[in-house]
Amino acid sequence: MGFEVIKPGLLSTLQDEGRYGQRKYGVITSGPMDLFAHRAANIIVGNDWDAAVLEMTLLGPSMVAKKNMLLSLCGADMEADVDGIRVPLWRPFLIRKGCQLNVHYAVKGCRAYLAVHGGFEVKPVLGSRSTYLRAGIGGHQGRALQAGDVMQVKQEVIGGNLHHPGSVSAFIRPDYEENPVVRVVLGKEAAFFTDVSRRILLAQSYIVTAQSDRMGYRLEGVRLELSDGVPSEMISEAVVQGTIQVPPSGQPILLMADCQTTGGYPRIAHVITADLPLVAQVKPGGKLRFREVSHREAQEQILLQMMDLQLLEAGVRAWVRDRGGI
């Protein structure tokens, strides 16, 4: 056993890095909305990057621990406590058997990630433990947590080194903001839009509407117009997390972790992978602005982010190795 759920929170689902290798069959990837926070949470409790964690949206759960566990909480500031004592973000902390973890409303950001040493134990479906709500597969019975659920945690030996100093420096964390400027590369169909619309995309703010979810963010702002004679729909082609499509309404849709595998709307731009964590932390009502960068800069930024995580992992593993384990 690991946790018994007392209150499930607004939307709490188990996610690993995603369901890869199945898109050719129309099966979506899923996985965490904020991949950086997911990976960081796993690293600082000594897990592999792909271990299943609990993704919590806007309001987290209350859960009772069924054994001693080493935990970490990364991403949005959800002001968690254990039996009323505040626990830190972006660093490991201990919960003892019988204590209650309470994860409150997100003060800053939108999604937080709870990792446990050993990882949450659920049966993989099509090679992944990620929850895909629309299909009812993966995670805990293919759905969000409910009161009374019991979540299993892999059996791992917890020694005396429970409070290792591993933490995620503010220098390498994404710069979460309520209204971020995120970098994009122009999409395959960018030339289908008028010059004015391409300038508008990069000059105006777009509101994240209440109709946004893990599949995509519906944005609201100045209408984007196709050039004369260009059809508003096309033969479906591949889309991925970060693709910005423009339907006939002219209001962009930014695809996220549970997006479909193909789409038939023109793709005006793509948010670079390194900035997707910033998008994942924007609440409904927040605003996004877009800044164009080159493919080279997009690649450099994700490589730098990966290097930061690898250095963090190396530091944690060295500390654990020198002391004979967690």
Side-chain angles (χ1 to χ4, degrees), residues 82-161:
V82 172
D83 288 350
I85 300 175
R86 182 80 178 269
V87 298
L89 300 175
W90 298 99
R91 61 182 302 120
F93 63 94
L94 173 67
I95 188 170
R96 297 194 180 277
K97 182 178 179 180
C99 293
Q100 182 167 311
L101 173 68
N102 305 294
V103 185
H104 305 290
Y105 184 76
V107 175
K108 182 179 181 182
C110 186
R111 293 173 174 88
Y113 295 81
L114 179 71
V116 55
H117 177 58
F120 290 98
E121 189 169 25
V122 290
K123 185 177 180 180
V125 178
L126 297 175
S128 171
R129 298 173 179 84
S130 287
T131 308
Y132 176 33
L133 295 171
R134 283 180 169 84
I137 62 174
H140 187 84
Q141 301 177 21
R143 58 169 172 76
L145 294 188
Q146 297 176 3
D149 285 344
V150 175
M151 299 169 59
Q152 303 296 326
V153 170
K154 289 184 180 179
Q155 294 295 326
E156 294 283 348
V157 175
I158 301 291
N161 298 315

Side-chain angles (χ1 to χ4, degrees), residues 72-83:
S72 65
L73 186 63
C74 295
D77 182 358
M78 286 193 171
E79 295 193 340
D81 68 76
V82 172
D83 288 350

Side-chain angles (χ1 to χ4, degrees), residues 30-295:
S30 295
M33 293 278 278
D34 182 342
L35 187 58
F36 183 93
H38 163 94
R39 287 175 168 173
N42 270 323
I43 288 170
I44 59 180
V45 294
N47 291 343
D48 293 334
W49 292 16
D50 192 38
V53 307
L54 187 64
E55 179 183 87
M56 302 161 288
T57 303
L58 290 176
L59 176 66
S62 293
M63 305 184 294
V64 173
K66 295 300 181 180
K67 62 179 182 179
N68 295 348
M69 290 177 283
L70 185 66
L71 309 176
S72 65
L73 186 63
C74 295
D77 182 358
M78 286 193 171
E79 295 193 340
D81 68 76
V82 172
D83 288 350
I85 300 175
R86 182 80 178 269
V87 298
L89 300 175
W90 298 99
R91 61 182 302 120
F93 63 94
L94 173 67
I95 188 170
R96 297 194 180 277
K97 182 178 179 180
C99 293
Q100 182 167 311
L101 173 68
N102 305 294
V103 185
H104 305 290
Y105 184 76
V107 175
K108 182 179 181 182
C110 186
R111 293 173 174 88
Y113 295 81
L114 179 71
V116 55
H117 177 58
F120 290 98
E121 189 169 25
V122 290
K123 185 177 180 180
V125 178
L126 297 175
S128 171
R129 298 173 179 84
S130 287
T131 308
Y132 176 33
L133 295 171
R134 283 180 169 84
I137 62 174
H140 187 84
Q141 301 177 21
R143 58 169 172 76
L145 294 188
Q146 297 176 3
D149 285 344
V150 175
M151 299 169 59
Q152 303 296 326
V153 170
K154 289 184 180 179
Q155 294 295 326
E156 294 283 348
V157 175
I158 301 291
N161 298 315
L162 292 171
H163 293 285
H164 74 76
S167 63
V168 185
S169 167
F171 291 107
I172 71 169
R173 296 178 210 161
D175 189 13
Y176 299 136
E177 297 179 8
E178 291 183 8
N179 305 304
V181 177
V182 297
R183 292 163 289 187
V184 299
V185 294
L186 292 183
K188 185 177 179 182
E189 289 81 41
F192 290 8
F193 292 84
T194 65
D195 291 342
V196 170
S197 288
R198 290 197 299 272
R199 289 196 295 269
I200 286 171
L201 178 72
L202 301 174
Q204 300 292 320
S205 295
Y206 281 84
I207 298 172
V208 177
T209 70
Q211 288 71 45
S212 303
D213 58 17
R214 279 182 50 89
M215 185 174 182
Y217 284 9
R218 290 188 173 271
L219 307 180
E220 184 178 279
V222 179
R223 177 186 170 91
L224 301 177
E225 302 277 359
L226 291 165
S227 298
D228 291 342
V230 176
S232 60
E233 296 188 27
M234 61 186 194
I235 295 173
S236 291
E237 292 195 31
V239 294
V240 295
Q241 184 178 7
T243 296
I244 303 175
Q245 291 187 304
V246 182
S249 68
Q251 299 299 313
I253 300 172
L254 171 51
L255 301 182
M256 297 301 288
D258 280 353
C259 71
Q260 69 275 23
T261 58
T262 61
Y265 298 136
R267 299 159 293 184
I268 192 170
H270 300 266
V271 175
I272 70 171
T273 302
D275 282 0
L276 286 172
L278 304 182
V279 177
Q281 297 297 345
V282 177
K283 296 183 175 105
K287 296 179 181 179
L288 295 172
R289 287 194 66 180
F290 303 109
R291 179 170 69 86
E292 184 186 0
V293 297
S294 66
H295 284 87

